[in-house]
């Protein structure tokens, strides 16, 4: 089924049928969206800043809208990035599987199921990130008060974040004795060996270069 435009009323009706809580979708702009039938796959990196370069930026939905509503699971073989204020929102009414995720502005990401990624990170305070399942990533890098607004399930990752973000008690580290230096490449490792150079991390993700020493398959 091809993509199509979705009015706000149609989007709300779909959210309610799929069980997305009103407390979540009320934070979205009540404008037009693009409906992507699921399950859907993106063959490379998905940039929410550049509609024309997405798989949905041609044909019946060549013109951009406020965001994308994927009605089912979404698999992104590459990375997920958002670096421009006002970029398209991404609402996944299923499970999201992706490579590296990095947000540097005011992203809007809603996932009804689990989010499985190699890495997950961001730097910015104006955002909306809600995951109604589990969030699993080898490393999660949070900067400048950036943190998910909601993870309803378990967050399972190596967390690299300032103490004031206050997520430590909500995160399960699957391998707490393993040094960070064994998980990430030297180019992004801070001088103290326990922190990350966020700018270097972001640059590598945007260039599709590895930030992990070993790039495991996205959990299946």
């Amino acid at each position: 089924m091809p993509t199509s435009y979705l009015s706000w009323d149609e989007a709300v009706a779909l959210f309610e049928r799929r069980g997305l809580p009103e407390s979540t979708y009320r934070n979205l702009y009540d404008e037009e969206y693009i409906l992507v039938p699921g399950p859907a796959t993106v063959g490379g990196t998905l940039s929410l800043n550049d509609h024309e370069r997405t798989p949905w930026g041609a044909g019946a939905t060549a013109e951009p809208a406020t965001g994308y509503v994927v009605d089912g699971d979404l698999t992104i073989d590459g990375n997920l990035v958002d670096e421009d204020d006002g970029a398209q929102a991404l609402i996944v009414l299923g499970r999201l599987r992706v490579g590296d995720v990095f947000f540097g502005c005011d992203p809007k990401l809603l996932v009804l199921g689990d989010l499985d990624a190699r890495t997950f990170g961001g730097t910015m305070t104006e955002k909306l990130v809600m995951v109604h399942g589990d969030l699993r990533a080898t490393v999660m890098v949070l900067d400048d008060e950036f943190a998910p607004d909601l993870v309803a399930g378990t967050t399972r990752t190596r967390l690299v974040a300032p103490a004031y973000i206050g997520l430590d008690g909500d995160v399960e580290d699957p391998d707490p004795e393993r040094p960070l230096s064994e998980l990430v490449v030297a180019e992004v490792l801070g001088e103290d060996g326990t922190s990350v150079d966020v700018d270097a991390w972001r640059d590598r993700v945007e260039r599709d270069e590895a930030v992990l020493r070993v790039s495991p398959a996205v959990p299946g």
Side-chain angles (χ1 to χ4, degrees):
M1 182 182 299
T3 56
S4 59
Y5 291 105
L6 197 65
S7 71
W8 177 246
D9 288 344
E10 291 169 331
V12 168
L14 178 59
F15 297 155
E16 291 180 348
R17 290 198 302 272
R18 300 295 182 256
L20 186 68
E22 191 271 341
S23 59
T24 294
Y25 68 73
R26 71 183 179 193
N27 295 290
L28 298 171
Y29 295 122
D30 54 349
E31 299 172 353
E32 186 176 63
Y33 290 77
I34 290 174
L35 175 63
V36 179
T41 299
V42 175
T45 287
L46 177 62
S47 172
L48 297 177
N49 317 120
D50 194 348
H51 174 64
E52 291 183 358
R53 296 183 63 185
T54 72
W56 317 307
T61 53
E63 293 298 320
T66 303
Y68 311 105
V69 177
V70 180
D71 189 15
D73 295 340
L74 174 62
T75 299
I76 302 173
D77 291 337
N79 301 333
L80 174 63
V81 296
D82 185 344
E83 287 290 345
D84 291 337
D85 290 343
Q88 283 83 8
L90 178 62
I91 301 98
V92 181
L93 301 178
R95 178 181 183 180
L96 173 59
R97 291 185 287 183
V98 60
D100 299 314
V101 178
F102 194 90
F103 296 134
C105 55
D106 64 344
K108 290 179 174 57
L109 173 66
L110 306 180
V111 181
L112 185 57
D114 297 335
L115 192 163
D116 291 295
R118 284 193 302 261
T119 67
F120 184 94
T123 173
M124 187 62 178
T125 57
E126 298 298 325
K127 44 71 189 165
L128 174 65
V129 177
M130 292 185 169
V131 179
H132 285 272
D134 296 337
L135 192 162
R136 294 182 286 263
T138 300
V139 178
M140 181 162 68
V141 177
L142 306 179
D143 179 63
D144 193 19
E145 299 185 19
F146 181 97
D149 300 275
L150 170 73
V151 178
T154 300
T155 300
R156 188 172 174 82
T157 188
R158 170 67 57 85
L159 177 64
V160 181
Y164 61 75
I165 287 182
L167 284 182
D168 289 350
D170 301 320
V171 174
E172 294 183 6
D173 189 337
D175 194 3
E177 302 304 319
R178 190 174 186 182
L180 183 64
S181 60
E182 293 183 6
L183 295 176
V184 304
V185 297
E187 289 85 349
V188 303
L189 191 66
E191 293 183 0
D192 60 3
T194 63
S195 62
V196 160
D197 181 329
V198 174
D199 289 334
W201 185 286
R202 175 177 53 201
D203 290 345
R204 288 184 70 91
V205 170
E206 291 180 345
R207 294 195 303 264
D208 289 327
E209 297 178 4
V211 290
L212 295 182
R213 285 193 176 277
V214 178
S215 296
V218 175

Short mmCIF file of all heavy atoms in Angstrom, two decimals, residues 5-6 27 30 50 52 58 72 105 110 116 142 161 175 177 192 194 196 211:
data_model
loop_
_atom_site.label_atom_id
_atom_site.label_comp_id
_atom_site.label_asym_id
_atom_site.label_seq_id
_atom_site.Cartn_x
_atom_site.Cartn_y
_atom_site.Cartn_z
N TYR A 5 -1.47 11.06 2.61
CA TYR A 5 -1.58 12.10 3.62
C TYR A 5 -2.69 11.76 4.61
O TYR A 5 -3.69 11.11 4.26
CB TYR A 5 -1.83 13.47 2.97
CG TYR A 5 -0.63 13.96 2.21
CD1 TYR A 5 -0.61 13.93 0.82
CD2 TYR A 5 0.49 14.44 2.88
CE1 TYR A 5 0.50 14.38 0.12
CE2 TYR A 5 1.60 14.89 2.19
CZ TYR A 5 1.61 14.86 0.80
OH TYR A 5 2.71 15.28 0.12
N LEU A 6 -2.48 12.20 5.83
CA LEU A 6 -3.37 11.86 6.94
C LEU A 6 -3.73 13.15 7.66
O LEU A 6 -2.84 13.85 8.16
CB LEU A 6 -2.64 10.90 7.89
CG LEU A 6 -3.40 10.07 8.91
CD1 LEU A 6 -4.31 9.06 8.23
CD2 LEU A 6 -2.40 9.33 9.81
N ASN A 27 0.75 15.73 22.58
CA ASN A 27 1.93 16.58 22.51
C ASN A 27 2.36 16.87 21.07
O ASN A 27 3.30 17.65 20.85
CB ASN A 27 3.10 15.91 23.25
CG ASN A 27 2.84 15.78 24.73
OD1 ASN A 27 2.83 16.77 25.45
ND2 ASN A 27 2.61 14.56 25.19
N ASP A 30 -1.28 19.37 15.81
CA ASP A 30 -2.50 18.85 15.20
C ASP A 30 -2.59 19.35 13.75
O ASP A 30 -3.39 20.21 13.40
CB ASP A 30 -3.74 19.24 16.01
CG ASP A 30 -3.85 20.74 16.27
OD1 ASP A 30 -2.87 21.46 16.01
OD2 ASP A 30 -4.91 21.16 16.73
N ASP A 50 15.26 15.91 5.97
CA ASP A 50 15.30 15.95 4.51
C ASP A 50 14.25 15.02 3.92
O ASP A 50 14.53 13.86 3.62
CB ASP A 50 16.70 15.57 4.03
CG ASP A 50 16.94 15.90 2.58
OD1 ASP A 50 15.97 16.22 1.87
OD2 ASP A 50 18.10 15.84 2.14
N GLU A 52 12.83 14.84 1.01
CA GLU A 52 13.04 14.35 -0.35
C GLU A 52 13.92 13.11 -0.39
O GLU A 52 13.83 12.31 -1.32
CB GLU A 52 13.65 15.45 -1.22
CG GLU A 52 12.69 16.60 -1.50
CD GLU A 52 13.31 17.63 -2.42
OE1 GLU A 52 14.50 17.45 -2.80
OE2 GLU A 52 12.62 18.61 -2.76
N ALA A 58 8.47 10.96 -2.46
CA ALA A 58 8.18 10.99 -3.89
C ALA A 58 6.76 10.48 -4.10
O ALA A 58 6.10 10.02 -3.17
CB ALA A 58 9.19 10.11 -4.65
N GLY A 72 2.68 0.31 12.11
CA GLY A 72 3.27 -1.01 12.32
C GLY A 72 4.73 -0.87 12.67
O GLY A 72 5.19 0.19 13.10
N CYS A 105 18.47 18.60 18.12
CA CYS A 105 17.63 19.81 18.10
C CYS A 105 16.34 19.53 18.86
O CYS A 105 16.38 19.23 20.04
CB CYS A 105 17.38 20.25 16.68
SG CYS A 105 16.67 18.96 15.64
N LEU A 110 7.90 9.14 18.76
CA LEU A 110 6.98 8.35 19.58
C LEU A 110 7.00 6.91 19.06
O LEU A 110 6.82 6.69 17.86
CB LEU A 110 5.56 8.90 19.51
CG LEU A 110 5.36 10.38 19.83
CD1 LEU A 110 3.88 10.75 19.72
CD2 LEU A 110 5.90 10.72 21.21
N ASP A 116 14.91 -0.75 19.58
CA ASP A 116 16.19 -1.46 19.61
C ASP A 116 17.16 -0.75 18.69
O ASP A 116 16.89 -0.56 17.50
CB ASP A 116 16.02 -2.91 19.14
CG ASP A 116 15.23 -3.73 20.13
OD1 ASP A 116 15.72 -3.93 21.25
OD2 ASP A 116 14.13 -4.18 19.79
N LEU A 142 23.70 10.93 26.63
CA LEU A 142 22.76 12.03 26.83
C LEU A 142 23.54 13.27 27.25
O LEU A 142 24.43 13.20 28.10
CB LEU A 142 21.74 11.66 27.91
CG LEU A 142 20.99 10.35 27.70
CD1 LEU A 142 20.03 10.10 28.85
CD2 LEU A 142 20.24 10.35 26.37
N ALA A 161 26.07 9.94 30.78
CA ALA A 161 25.26 11.14 30.96
C ALA A 161 25.70 11.86 32.22
O ALA A 161 26.19 11.23 33.16
CB ALA A 161 23.78 10.78 31.06
N ASP A 175 26.39 -5.11 31.09
CA ASP A 175 27.78 -5.53 31.32
C ASP A 175 28.51 -4.43 32.09
O ASP A 175 29.42 -3.78 31.57
CB ASP A 175 28.46 -5.81 29.98
CG ASP A 175 29.78 -6.56 30.14
OD1 ASP A 175 30.12 -6.91 31.30
OD2 ASP A 175 30.46 -6.79 29.13
N GLU A 177 30.77 -4.20 34.32
CA GLU A 177 32.21 -4.27 34.61
C GLU A 177 33.06 -3.98 33.37
O GLU A 177 34.27 -3.80 33.50
CB GLU A 177 32.56 -5.66 35.15
CG GLU A 177 31.80 -6.04 36.42
CD GLU A 177 31.98 -5.03 37.53
OE1 GLU A 177 33.12 -4.54 37.70
OE2 GLU A 177 31.00 -4.69 38.21
N ASP A 192 39.02 11.22 30.27
CA ASP A 192 38.97 10.48 31.52
C ASP A 192 38.62 9.02 31.33
O ASP A 192 38.64 8.23 32.28
CB ASP A 192 37.98 11.13 32.49
CG ASP A 192 36.55 11.17 31.93
OD1 ASP A 192 36.32 10.64 30.82
OD2 ASP A 192 35.67 11.72 32.62
N THR A 194 35.82 7.67 30.86
CA THR A 194 34.47 7.31 31.29
C THR A 194 33.41 8.22 30.68
O THR A 194 32.22 8.06 30.97
CB THR A 194 34.34 7.38 32.82
OG1 THR A 194 34.55 8.73 33.26
CG2 THR A 194 35.35 6.45 33.49
N VAL A 196 32.22 10.80 27.02
CA VAL A 196 32.21 10.80 25.57
C VAL A 196 32.28 12.24 25.08
O VAL A 196 31.68 13.14 25.67
CB VAL A 196 30.93 10.11 25.05
CG1 VAL A 196 30.62 10.49 23.61
CG2 VAL A 196 31.06 8.60 25.17
N VAL A 211 30.58 4.32 15.89
CA VAL A 211 30.94 4.86 17.20
C VAL A 211 31.22 3.73 18.19
O VAL A 211 31.83 3.95 19.23
CB VAL A 211 29.84 5.79 17.76
CG1 VAL A 211 29.78 7.08 16.96
CG2 VAL A 211 28.48 5.11 17.77
#
